[in-house]
Amino acid sequence: LKLQFLYFIVAVHMAKVTLVACDELRVETTSKVCNMSKLLSELIEEQEGECEIPVANVRGHALKAIVEYMTHHCGNRAPELEKPLKRSLSEVLSTWDRDFLRVHGDQTTVFELIRGANFLNIRDLLELCCAYLAEMMKSKSVEDIRDMFGLENDFTEEEEEKLRREHNIEN
């Protein structure tokens, strides 16, 4: 009976899960890896054996990166990031996480990873990407940040000057 229970536990954790991105890219992983996502974990509980889960809010290349992150950190959770960061992000991250951000750290992909991690409820990845984005913004001017997020300046010159004075922001 104990051996049957062990086989059942292994089968449940190792059941194949196919995630289907909004652009139809299919990413295969296991239910154990998917347990890093609260949403996927809940969806898998409702299934028996192998399953296919549409992930409508995430593009394929971002989904592959998310599964790569979950696979690495499955059973090897990333240390919690201090808030606020007192040192540079590269000083507090593991080598693997630094390399992950180096490969997937362009602005567009980071935005997609944030959206995907938020949708899938993967807190560690969401915090990592948000900290990375915050560090990217740290040395930028207001205009650079507007460009980064595609925001228009809807302040009048007078309103903007008043805000700069109130918050000691240089031109």
Side-chain angles (χ1 to χ4, degrees), residues 45 58 62:
E45 278 181 17
V58 183

Side-chain angles (χ1 to χ4, degrees), residues 17-21 34 39-40 43-44 47 51-55 63:
V17 176
T18 302
L19 304 174
V20 184
C34 288
L39 176 67
L40 294 176
L43 292 172
I44 289 169
Q47 310 288 324
C51 62
E52 184 172 296
I53 300 173
V55 187
L63 186 58

Side-chain angles (χ1 to χ4, degrees), residues 11-68:
V12 166
H13 283 302
M14 300 312 287
K16 184 174 103 174
V17 176
T18 302
L19 304 174
V20 184
C22 64
D23 55 7
E24 301 298 318
L25 182 83
R26 303 166 78 76
V27 182
E28 290 187 1
T29 187
T30 65
S31 54
K32 181 179 180 184
V33 168
C34 288
N35 282 334
M36 290 199 61
S37 159
K38 288 193 170 123
L39 176 67
L40 294 176
S41 179
E42 290 170 6
L43 292 172
I44 289 169
E45 278 181 17
E46 299 169 6
Q47 310 288 324
E48 287 187 29
E50 294 183 8
C51 62
E52 184 172 296
I53 300 173
V55 187
N57 295 6
V58 183
R59 287 189 174 148
H61 71 280
L63 186 58
K64 282 174 61 175
I66 290 168
V67 169
E68 177 186 346

